């Protein structure tokens, strides 16, 4: 650690964010290292260290001989001010070396509102911002994560994108770079070679042409680059790398616990959910492997809590077998077992009673819509009877706290659907009155509504987003019909979700807005204390870009979309058929009741489905 950094650290909040030195961090002898990777998470230490994907890929890269991967996080505003004041370039935690000294700079991107953080981190690292300004093989910038399924807003800044799951493709990328560095290739040579790896997208190898009305007219692939880039998946999760020796943070993080990934993909087909479509097909780990990984992780890290994570954990076929094994171990070792992502249609009394032996926390359900018609539109496959039955089971078992999540602005939503949320909550309160076994503590119903954001690679990717003004009107309408003191209602402000829609469905022209906003001070936009909507409005105006073009306009079904050349496995034909079903309020059963023909199984060498 430099003397300058030692002087700065006592002046900022949570200095442990910036020091490294945690238990299980990986350090290597530079004499044995040929390729150095700065693995950047575009948010603070507390958020990044809670990310399972980052933990996995950190371990994957450091398993490679001759490769050293180090972590980099976005600094908080007080540290950023000190860095600028003292000309202190952004550094990696393990070695305290400046990021600009690294061969490769990798970003994992899971949230559109972190885009300014990516540009700001490059600026703080004193690395040229635009890909075309970085001419040598040093400081190659690449990125992956769910946002890479429409990478166009960042096309001018990232040298290449890795689409899909990273355990295998990352090894191929680093092996190729090792060869390129050894043989002194040019950057152009390396990009040409890396573009041939399945799942890699090099933005500079594609030319975008726009029509007079602003829509995308055509995309021309150059240098024999693939016309369609297909995401990569890991088929065998039982034998895939998983870090049971996790880094133990030296300061509190958002999810300060061990995390066990039980399966990938989702058997459901909620038409608004990008992850549910883009993460297909379903692949699971066995209960035996999960139990072994859980025990190894807990005993090595000393954590007193572990979470079973997935898009819908209660859909895991071996959940009973796994919890039967884990609960006695957790009870004996005073470890809390958390099972989030439960669905109201398969919430069981047996599971509830098992979890009660460890800890009784609040219940969370996401009906998403207040009426059956609208739940059928979005293919939630959830009835009011199932919601009330699950609540009755919980209330009779002693629960007095339930959280309910809904969206406003869903396609075809009407005022009666909004008021249907209030009616459903009223029925849940009456269920508590009828079935609660513990009424002394009273009931708390936390209701939250979010502003619907149409996302790429979903049946709703073409939809209009309602205006912020209309969203707020619906929020006020709903609030006016909450009469019980047991209800706590929160709604997300529309500003952030409007921008999220712009970046989710944006094209390359949005990139200059992100850069302009960053230059005007936008950063850490996911944090309320730093987000400035006016800064963004000023940036759009300065760049001559209308955000409504990407939000309330909607997209025509025959329009060329910026993300059409990225194949996540689910066919466009299937998405269109699901959109038609939505407008007819027709549901599609989940994968276990019969294959709907989405197309994702073609990504598997042996066609199967673990759903």
């Amino acid at each position: 650690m430099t003397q300058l950094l030692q002087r700065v650290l006592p002046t900022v909040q949570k200095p442990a964010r910036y020091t490294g030195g945690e238990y299980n961090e990986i350090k290597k002898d530079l004499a044995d290292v040929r390729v150095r990777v700065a693995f950047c998470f575009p948010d603070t230490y507390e958020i990044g260290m809670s990310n399972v994907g980052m933990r996995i890929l950190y371990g994957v890269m450091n398993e490679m001989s001759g490769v050293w991967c180090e972590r980099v996080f976005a600094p908080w505003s007080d540290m950023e001010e000190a860095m600028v004041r003292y000309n202190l370039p952004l550094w990696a935690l393990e070695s305290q070396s400046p990021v600009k000294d690294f061969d490769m700079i990798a970003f994992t991107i899971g949230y559109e509102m972190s885009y300014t953080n990516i540009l700001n981190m490059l600026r703080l690292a004193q690395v040229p911002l635009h890909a075309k300004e970085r001419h040598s093989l040093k400081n190659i910038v690449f990125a992956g994560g769910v946002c890479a399924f429409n990478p166009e807003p960042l096309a001018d800044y990232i040298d290449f994108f890795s689409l899909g799951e990273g355990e295998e493709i990352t090894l191929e990328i680093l092996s190729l770079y090792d060869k390129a560095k050894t043989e002194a290739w040019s950057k152009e040579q390396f990009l040409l070679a890396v573009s041939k790896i399945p799942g890699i997208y090099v933005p500079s190898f594609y030319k975008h042409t726009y029509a007079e009305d602003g829509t995308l007219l055509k995309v021309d692939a150059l240098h024999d680059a693939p016309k369609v880039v297909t995401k990569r998946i890991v088929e065998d999760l039982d034998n895939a790398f998983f870090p049971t020796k996790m880094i133990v943070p030296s300061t509190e993080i958002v999810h300060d616990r061990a995390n066990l990934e039980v399966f990938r993909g989702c058997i459901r087909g909620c038409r608004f959910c990008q992850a549910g479509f883009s993460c297909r097909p379903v692949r699971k780990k066995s209960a035996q492997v999960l139990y072994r990984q859980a025990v190894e992780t807990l005993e090595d890290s000393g954590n007193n809590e572990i979470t079973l994570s997935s898009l819908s954990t209660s859909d895991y076929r071996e959940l009973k077998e796994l919890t039967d094994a884990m609960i006695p171990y957790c009870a004996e070792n005073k470890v809390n077992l958390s099972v989030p992502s439960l669905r109201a249609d398969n919430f069981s009394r047996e599971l509830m009673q098992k979890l009660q032996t460890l800890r009784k926390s609040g219940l969370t359900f996401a009906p998403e819509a207040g009426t059956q018609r609208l739940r059928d539109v979005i293919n939630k496959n959830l009835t009011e009877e199932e919601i009330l039955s699950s609540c009755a089971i919980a209330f009779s078992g002693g629960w007095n706290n339930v959280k309910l999540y809904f969206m406003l602005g869903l396609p075809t939503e009407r005022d009666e659907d909004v008021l249907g949320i209030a009616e459903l909550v009223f029925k849940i309160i009456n269920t508590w009155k009828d079935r609660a076994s513990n009424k002394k503590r009273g009931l708390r119903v936390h209701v939250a509504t979010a502003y619907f954001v149409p996302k790429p690679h979903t049946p709703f990717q073409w939809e209009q987003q309602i205006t912020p003004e209309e969203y707020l009107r619906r929020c006020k309408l709903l609030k006016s019909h909450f009469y019980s003191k047991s209800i706590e209602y929160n709604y997300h402000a529309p500003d952030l979700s409007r921008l999220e829609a712009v970046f989710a469905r944006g094209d390359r022209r949005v990139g200059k807005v992100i850069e302009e906003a960053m230059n005007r001070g936008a950063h850490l936009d996911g944090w309320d204390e730093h987000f400035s909507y006016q800064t963004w409005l000023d940036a759009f105006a300065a760049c001559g870009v209308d955000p409504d073009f990407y939000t309330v306009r909607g997209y025509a079904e025959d329009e060329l979309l910026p993300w059409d050349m990225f194949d996540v496995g689910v066919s466009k034909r299937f998405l269109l058929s699901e959109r038609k079903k939505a407008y007819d309020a027709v549901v599609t059963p989940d994968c276990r009741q019969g294959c709907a023909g989405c197309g994702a199984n073609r990504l598997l060498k042996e066609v199967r489905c673990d759903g």
Side-chain angles (χ1 to χ4, degrees):
M1 187 184 302
T2 65
Q3 291 183 346
L4 177 58
L5 181 56
Q6 287 180 326
R7 293 203 304 272
V8 168
L9 284 174
T11 70
V12 300
Q13 301 177 47
K14 300 182 180 180
R17 288 166 165 165
Y18 312 107
T19 58
E22 308 99 320
Y23 178 71
N24 277 340
E25 77 166 5
I26 297 173
K27 303 197 78 166
K28 295 189 177 183
D29 186 341
L30 277 176
D32 301 324
V33 174
R34 299 184 303 276
V35 178
R36 298 187 70 184
V37 182
F39 192 14
C40 303
F41 189 91
D43 211 313
T44 62
Y45 178 92
E46 300 95 296
I47 304 294
M49 285 297 293
S50 302
N51 185 273
V52 180
M54 186 170 191
R55 290 182 176 183
I56 291 173
L57 292 180
Y58 175 83
V60 164
M61 286 188 266
N62 279 312
E63 286 278 293
M64 295 183 69
S65 175
V67 174
W68 188 13
C69 170
E70 303 182 48
R71 296 161 298 141
V72 185
F73 300 99
W76 193 247
S77 54
D78 56 351
M79 176 57 86
E80 180 176 334
E81 291 170 5
M83 291 167 65
V84 173
R85 185 184 316 122
Y86 296 111
N87 192 31
L88 187 63
L90 188 65
W91 62 93
L93 296 190
E94 279 74 6
S95 67
Q96 305 294 314
S97 299
V99 170
K100 62 183 176 181
D101 290 348
F102 283 70
D103 298 300
M104 306 191 82
I105 302 171
F107 285 92
T108 180
I109 319 171
Y111 180 40
E112 291 85 356
M113 294 311 299
S114 67
Y115 286 175
T116 50
N117 293 345
I118 294 171
L119 302 193
N120 194 44
M121 289 174 76
L122 290 174
R123 180 180 66 85
L124 291 173
Q126 300 174 9
V127 171
L129 203 59
H130 295 86
K132 64 183 180 182
E133 297 171 343
R134 301 187 295 268
H135 303 294
S136 72
L137 200 60
K138 192 171 185 178
N139 291 165
I140 294 288
V141 179
F142 70 105
V146 68
C147 290
F149 291 134
N150 177 27
E152 295 307 322
L154 294 173
D156 291 339
Y157 310 97
I158 307 295
D159 290 308
F160 68 89
F161 291 87
S162 170
L163 271 64
E165 296 164 2
E167 287 96 327
E168 296 172 359
I169 192 172
T170 303
L171 301 181
E172 297 169 25
I173 292 167
L174 297 185
S175 295
L176 181 66
Y177 185 90
D178 191 6
K179 175 180 172 66
K181 185 178 178 182
T182 300
E183 297 179 3
W185 291 5
S186 67
K187 179 180 179 179
E188 185 75 7
Q189 283 178 289
F190 173 71
L191 291 180
L192 285 167
V194 82
S195 71
K196 302 300 188 290
I197 295 177
I200 295 297
Y201 172 62
V202 181
S204 60
F205 290 176
Y206 297 84
K207 180 183 178 183
H208 287 224
T209 305
Y210 300 92
E212 289 186 6
D213 64 358
T215 58
L216 185 61
L217 185 62
K218 63 176 181 174
V219 177
D220 294 314
L222 312 174
H223 308 297
D224 294 322
K227 290 182 172 56
V228 175
V229 180
T230 303
K231 75 171 186 181
R232 297 283 293 273
I233 65 168
V234 176
E235 292 198 39
D236 183 1
L237 293 185
D238 273 352
N239 292 305
F241 177 86
F242 185 80
T244 56
K245 284 188 173 294
M246 56 178 280
I247 296 176
V248 179
S250 45
T251 188
E252 185 178 2
I253 62 174
V254 173
H255 299 303
D256 206 353
R257 53 181 177 257
N259 210 312
L260 205 60
E261 183 187 31
V262 296
F263 70 89
R264 294 182 185 175
C266 186
I267 66 170
R268 312 287 175 167
C270 300
R271 292 172 177 138
F272 57 85
C273 181
Q274 184 181 46
F277 286 94
S278 64
C279 294
R280 293 186 179 191
V282 174
R283 291 139 293 138
K284 66 178 179 63
K285 286 185 183 180
S286 68
Q288 293 84 356
V289 169
L290 287 168
Y291 177 75
R292 174 179 57 79
Q293 292 177 345
V295 171
E296 289 178 7
T297 302
L298 289 168
E299 293 188 351
D300 182 78
S301 67
N303 278 100
N304 61 1
E305 183 174 354
I306 187 166
T307 296
L308 305 183
S309 67
S310 74
L311 293 175
S312 181
T313 303
S314 51
D315 285 326
Y316 177 54
R317 285 187 184 275
E318 299 179 49
L319 185 59
K320 181 182 184 303
E321 181 181 346
L322 178 60
T323 53
D324 282 350
M326 288 191 62
I327 286 175
Y329 174 86
C330 291
E332 181 182 349
N333 292 278
K334 296 182 173 54
V335 173
N336 290 322
L337 175 62
S338 174
V339 186
S341 302
L342 295 176
R343 281 182 58 94
D345 58 348
N346 56 14
F347 180 79
S348 71
R349 181 182 298 274
E350 182 184 10
L351 177 60
M352 178 195 73
Q353 290 172 340
K354 287 179 182 178
L355 296 177
Q356 271 186 313
T357 63
L358 299 175
R359 184 181 64 169
K360 187 183 297 182
S361 57
L363 288 170
T364 300
F365 295 123
E368 308 295 0
T371 63
Q372 193 59 51
R373 183 199 72 82
L374 193 54
R375 285 194 293 274
D376 290 344
V377 166
I378 65 177
N379 204 48
K380 187 65 181 177
N381 275 315
L382 183 64
T383 66
E384 181 178 285
E385 181 182 359
E386 288 168 335
I387 296 169
L388 296 179
S389 175
S390 293
C391 289
I393 291 171
F395 296 152
S396 65
W399 261 267
N400 292 70
N401 190 337
V402 61
K403 295 180 181 179
L404 301 168
Y405 289 100
F406 299 88
M407 280 186 283
L408 294 179
L410 288 163
T412 80
E413 183 180 77
R414 303 187 287 261
D415 279 359
E416 51 261 44
D417 298 303
V418 176
L419 296 179
I421 296 174
E423 293 173 14
L424 179 60
V425 172
F426 177 72
K427 290 177 181 178
I428 289 172
I429 292 173
N430 281 340
T431 300
W432 178 83
K433 290 177 180 177
D434 293 339
R435 300 293 298 275
S437 63
N438 178 12
K439 294 185 179 180
K440 292 182 179 180
R441 287 171 36 212
L443 172 69
R444 297 304 302 165
V445 181
H446 303 265
V447 180
T449 57
Y451 184 11
F452 167 65
V453 176
K455 289 292 184 86
H457 307 292
T458 70
F460 290 159
Q461 65 181 3
W462 295 276
E463 301 300 327
Q464 294 177 302
Q465 187 182 44
I466 62 172
T467 65
E469 294 77 15
E470 174 60 19
Y471 167 74
L472 290 174
R473 184 193 71 80
R474 298 185 194 188
C475 291
K476 291 175 183 176
L477 174 65
L478 176 58
K479 186 175 183 179
S480 69
H481 285 72
F482 282 146
Y483 303 116
S484 171
K485 293 182 179 179
S486 298
I487 301 170
E488 178 182 313
Y489 175 48
N490 296 299
Y491 57 87
H492 296 183
D495 304 344
L496 207 65
S497 295
R498 185 190 186 207
L499 293 178
E500 185 181 339
V502 173
F503 303 141
R505 300 199 293 183
D507 51 42
R508 295 188 174 190
R509 294 170 295 187
V510 173
K512 61 183 179 182
V513 179
I514 298 169
E515 183 178 351
E516 178 68 22
M518 187 268 294
N519 288 333
R520 290 171 177 261
H523 71 151
L524 298 173
D525 292 298
W527 297 81
D528 290 344
E529 55 264 60
H530 288 285
F531 177 67
S532 168
Y533 189 48
Q534 189 59 51
T535 297
W536 281 101
L537 295 179
D538 294 343
F540 277 107
C543 295
V545 174
D546 181 6
D548 285 351
F549 181 82
Y550 305 96
T551 56
V552 298
R553 174 180 74 91
Y555 290 70
E557 287 187 351
D558 61 352
E559 182 177 338
L560 179 62
L561 304 174
W563 55 91
D564 271 347
M565 63 169 294
F566 307 110
D567 180 7
V568 300
V570 177
S571 70
K572 195 172 184 179
R573 173 197 56 76
F574 179 77
L575 296 180
L576 285 166
S577 71
E578 284 294 293
R579 188 187 191 210
K580 183 179 185 304
K581 285 184 177 182
Y583 277 86
D584 293 334
V586 174
V587 300
T588 298
D590 68 58
C591 299
R592 288 180 183 168
Q593 297 182 45
C595 180
C598 73
N601 273 343
R602 63 189 165 81
L603 299 176
L604 299 166
K605 295 184 179 71
E606 179 183 347
V607 177
R608 59 179 170 79
C609 182
D610 287 334

